[in-house]
Amino acid sequence: MTVLFTVLSLSILATVLAAIVVLADYKLNDYGICKIDINNGARSLEVNGGSSLLSSLASQKIFIPSACGGKATCGLCKVTLVESVGPVLPTEEPFISEAEREAGVRLSCQVKVKQDLKIRIPDEFFNIKQYRTRVSEIKQLTHDIKQFRFQLLEPTTIDFKAGQYVQIDSKPYGKVTEAVSRAYSISSVPSENNIIELIIRLVPGGICTTFLHEHVNEGDEITFAGPFGDFYLHEGGDELIFIAGGSGLAPIRSLVLDILEKNLEKKMKFFFGAVRRRDLYYLDFFRELEEKYDNFTYIPALSGATPEDEWDGEQGLITDVVARHVPDAERRQAYLCGSPGMINACVQVLTKIGFSRDAIFFDEF
Amino acid sequence: MKQGPEFKRIEDNMRSGQLAAHQFLGTDTRSLKDIIRHDQLVLEPLGITNQDIANRMRYFTEKAAGGLGLQVVDDVFEVEREEHKGDIPCPFADNVQASKSITRVKNLRTGRSVSWSDLNIHLVDEHGFFEGHGAPFRVDPAEFVEVLEIKASK
Ligand SMILES: Cc1cc2nc3c(=O)[nH]c(=O)nc-3n(C[C@H](O)[C@H](O)[C@H](O)COP(=O)(O)OP(=O)(O)OC[C@H]3O[C@@H](n4cnc5c(N)ncnc54)[C@H](O)[C@@H]3O)c2cc1C
Ligand SMILES: [Zn+2]
């Protein structure tokens, strides 16, 4: 009885102490209501001070791109502080250039809201929403790539530009205790606005891709935020050179279909680079498009074909194949999507051909 | 080798599964310090340093880069690189990011293979950290020395 009583009173004491600590913390860090002015009055928010700018904005349904969920490891969540609230933190330094520092650019996950703030963000960010979806179809495209189709539940439609991406939220599974969000380019067309499709390559030991490939089934509910990114069709260019590898086919598919659907007067050449035959997918799909449309050419190429691949198409590094088929940069734009290695190599080759840097587009990461 | 006072926090970070699905410590119950020390004890008698291993890994990584698929290097090693988008932060919280791309090497003399991600090179080089037993990205020093035929640098 006494033992029980002691235990009880001890745990009550502990609870009271904990409450005092929480209260003290609350009092000490009570920044009250803070106002956030966005884009010179375009939006004005009131939030409880004390949280990061990133999460404060998210709590008011303004989503800034972020792939690491506020850990200052992706460098995506940049906003401009019109009035400085302190120096750039060491955690932000790797991501902020000298020019950005001068312009007041900060990582919103590293700025704590403690006072009224005036910030600037791209107008497109106002269009970013959090979506609840149901996985309506999963298709195996290659040995390590799956396609996911998501039916939008709430909101029921999405307004995006072909080439943009969304951020899928994973859920804890197995020994993975935390949810992460990762960027995936939309492969479906904007006109089909009640679904999105993503093409996802399994990364060995990857948190989000293992979740999607091995723990998600048709019928499951998944959330994402979007759309993000400026990898969409830009003005200028009579001929568009698309170059992709691996899962990089996704945004290119969306762009090509969107341009064909809108009957834009553009010529398109789509180079898809893979190592072996087994890494090619959507082969028949793009071959059929090529047959049907005079303004679309499809050039798949293998860099490591073996006799068993029975491949009679283009061979060699995708950069060499591009160099063979693109004579000059005259009235051309290039859109690239793939691994950083592929993108670097392509930028080099395109520059040699005569492309200026502002005629080459890709997602920075 | 950087071993700040934050070691405990770094260790928790690694065990949490929040950085990568396959943890850095695997099924290893030893402390981070012990794991690093034990691997060093394996290398010392061989006269090989963690930097020697990192340099050899870097050598093959560069040979495998370029997207040509399987390639044979120095007549003995079959190398291949799987490029992946995106970077992963170093768990030692030193603001270093490495690509998620993976390099595989097969020793044609012995038929044995090893693989690693770009992050492993940094972990071995800067932190002398080969990861715990049972971690899928563990760089087993003895195995790497054999498969990659690493010789003492002096
Ligand atoms: C704008 C943008 C668009 C994108 N679009 C697409 C797309 O359309 N399709 C697509 O598939 N991907 C896309 N990506 C990539 C995607 O966002 C993810 O980066 C990718 O899917 C991997 O996420 P993950 O969580 O599975 O892997 P993570 O868990 O983040 O990383 C796993 C990798 O990290 C390394 N690693 C993990 N643990 C260790 C360890 N202990 N030791 C050493 N190394 C380790 C290994 O290389 C491992 O393979 C896009 C990225 C960006 C930025
Ligand atoms: Zn490090």
Side-chain angles (χ1 to χ4, degrees):
Chain A
M1 187 62 198
T2 22
V3 172
L4 183 65
F5 186 73
T6 319
V7 169
L8 256 180
S9 53
L10 267 180
S11 59
I12 289 170
L13 184 67
T15 315
V16 170
L17 278 176
I20 291 173
V21 170
V22 168
L23 262 177
D25 189 53
Y26 181 77
K27 271 287 155 207
L28 284 174
N29 294 312
D30 184 6
Y31 303 108
I33 301 283
C34 301
K35 281 201 188 101
I36 305 178
D37 173 274
I38 308 174
N39 294 2
N40 206 7
R43 282 283 295 276
S44 181
L45 317 173
E46 291 194 344
V47 301
N48 285 318
S51 302
S52 77
L53 180 55
L54 178 72
S55 58
S56 299
L57 290 170
S59 73
Q60 304 279 319
K61 302 219 177 306
I62 293 183
F63 299 100
I64 310 292
S66 159
C68 68
K71 299 198 180 70
T73 59
C74 74
L76 284 175
C77 65
K78 289 176 185 171
V79 304
T80 304
L81 279 126
V82 181
E83 288 160 9
S84 169
V85 292
V88 168
L89 302 179
T91 43
E92 299 170 72
E93 263 160 16
F95 306 104
I96 310 268
S97 70
E98 203 44 54
E100 286 177 324
R101 188 195 295 260
E102 263 157 41
V105 172
R106 299 283 308 267
L107 295 188
S108 59
C109 71
Q110 300 300 299
V111 176
K112 201 165 171 184
V113 181
K114 301 181 189 170
Q115 64 200 76
D116 292 354
L117 299 177
K118 282 190 162 99
I119 67 167
R120 246 193 346 259
I121 59 174
D123 281 331
E124 300 91 83
F125 286 7
F126 291 124
N127 184 35
I128 298 169
K129 298 188 182 99
Q130 183 84 33
Y131 290 83
R132 208 161 55 76
T133 75
R134 187 178 311 289
V135 179
S136 56
E137 190 187 60
I138 304 176
K139 255 192 212 167
Q140 190 88 39
L141 296 180
T142 72
H143 63 105
D144 64 354
I145 297 181
K146 282 186 180 179
Q147 173 174 294
F148 292 78
R149 190 180 174 93
F150 302 87
Q151 181 75 42
L152 308 188
L153 301 176
E154 198 198 334
T156 51
T157 59
I158 181 169
D159 175 21
F160 70 96
K161 292 188 185 132
Q164 286 192 299
Y165 68 92
V166 296
Q167 299 239 148
I168 290 276
D169 304 313
S170 74
K171 295 174 190 166
Y173 60 91
K175 282 189 187 157
V176 181
T177 50
E178 282 231 350
V180 297
S181 40
R182 296 277 188 261
Y184 296 99
S185 305
I186 307 174
S187 62
S188 49
V189 254
S191 60
E192 242 188 305
N193 67 0
N194 59 345
I195 60 115
I196 61 159
E197 281 176 357
L198 306 177
I199 291 174
I200 294 172
R201 171 138 177 252
L202 181 66
V203 174
I207 299 187
C208 192
T209 53
T210 305
F211 167 72
L212 288 164
H213 272 245
E214 287 164 22
H215 299 268
V216 168
N217 297 304
E218 289 176 2
D220 288 356
E221 274 199 21
I222 295 288
T223 57
F224 73 77
F228 298 105
D230 49 14
F231 183 67
Y232 41 69
L233 188 61
H234 291 257
E235 298 256 318
D238 295 341
E239 182 172 280
L240 311 178
I241 307 298
F242 295 114
I243 312 173
S247 65
L249 181 141
I252 308 294
R253 179 176 185 271
S254 181
L255 279 161
V256 167
L257 291 179
D258 189 50
I259 290 166
L260 292 175
E261 206 174 82
K262 290 178 173 154
N263 262 321
L264 300 186
E265 281 195 21
K266 305 249 181 212
K267 275 186 152 179
M268 294 179 272
K269 274 203 180 104
F270 176 22
F271 296 88
F272 185 76
V275 177
R276 300 281 307 271
R277 177 72 181 76
R278 65 171 196 163
D279 302 316
L280 290 177
Y281 58 102
Y282 270 126
L283 195 64
D284 293 338
F285 178 88
F286 284 110
R287 280 184 173 154
E288 276 164 30
L289 281 189
E290 186 176 31
E291 297 240 313
K292 204 165 147 199
Y293 297 94
D294 287 339
N295 60 337
F296 177 72
T297 314
Y298 173 52
I299 304 160
L302 296 185
S303 62
T306 62
E308 73 207 56
D309 284 328
E310 296 181 1
W311 180 249
D312 57 5
E314 287 281 342
Q315 298 213 28
L317 277 182
I318 198 64
T319 40
D320 297 337
V321 179
V322 169
R324 284 203 288 273
H325 287 264
V326 182
D328 56 56
E330 206 55 40
R331 283 201 285 275
R332 291 195 171 94
Q333 286 179 331
Y335 292 80
L336 323 176
C337 193
S339 64
M342 187 212 92
I343 289 184
N344 287 340
C346 287
V347 170
Q348 274 183 23
V349 162
L350 290 166
T351 310
K352 231 190 225 162
I353 295 174
F355 281 76
S356 63
R357 187 56 194 79
D358 55 11
I360 307 175
F361 303 92
F362 52 87
D363 274 318
E364 303 266 5
F365 46 83
Chain B
M1 228 169 286
K2 293 170 193 156
Q3 295 196 4
E6 295 211 297
F7 245 49
K8 181 74 183 88
R9 201 175 61 81
I10 292 167
E11 193 176 324
D12 290 346
N13 225 357
M14 289 179 180
R15 289 202 197 277
S16 71
Q18 135 193 349
L19 279 166
H22 292 63
Q23 288 118 317
F24 292 86
L25 302 176
T27 49
D28 219 316
T29 50
R30 295 171 301 170
S31 74
L32 179 54
K33 274 197 176 124
D34 282 345
I35 293 175
I36 293 180
R37 198 171 323 120
H38 273 109
D39 285 332
Q40 237 178 336
L41 289 178
V42 171
L43 289 176
E44 262 166 22
L46 303 174
I48 291 171
T49 65
N50 52 313
Q51 275 91 7
D52 293 334
I53 298 192
N55 287 340
R56 192 73 168 150
M57 290 162 76
R58 212 172 276 122
Y59 171 75
F60 288 114
T61 302
E62 280 161 15
K63 293 278 179 195
L68 274 170
L70 268 191
Q71 289 181 83
V72 175
V73 174
D74 303 336
D75 299 330
V76 178
F77 306 96
E78 204 173 69
V79 303
E80 190 176 22
R81 185 168 162 87
E82 198 179 297
E83 289 246 24
H84 288 287
K85 280 188 189 177
D87 285 348
I88 179 165
C90 170
F92 287 81
D94 51 7
N95 282 339
V96 168
Q97 312 256 340
S99 150
K100 291 174 189 175
S101 298
I102 291 171
T103 303
R104 292 198 180 82
V105 174
K106 181 173 175 184
N107 185 317
L108 296 173
R109 270 196 266 266
T110 61
R112 289 169 69 193
S113 313
V114 290
S115 65
W116 61 86
S117 82
D118 288 5
L119 179 62
N120 284 122
I121 304 177
H122 166 77
L123 290 175
V124 169
D125 201 3
E126 290 287 324
H127 307 286
F129 179 49
F130 296 81
E131 307 203 10
H133 289 302
F137 286 94
R138 171 159 168 82
V139 171
D140 188 82
E143 188 184 12
F144 269 59
V145 167
E146 280 172 34
V147 176
L148 303 183
E149 302 189 359
I150 303 172
K151 310 256 167 6
S153 54
K154 21 183 163 52

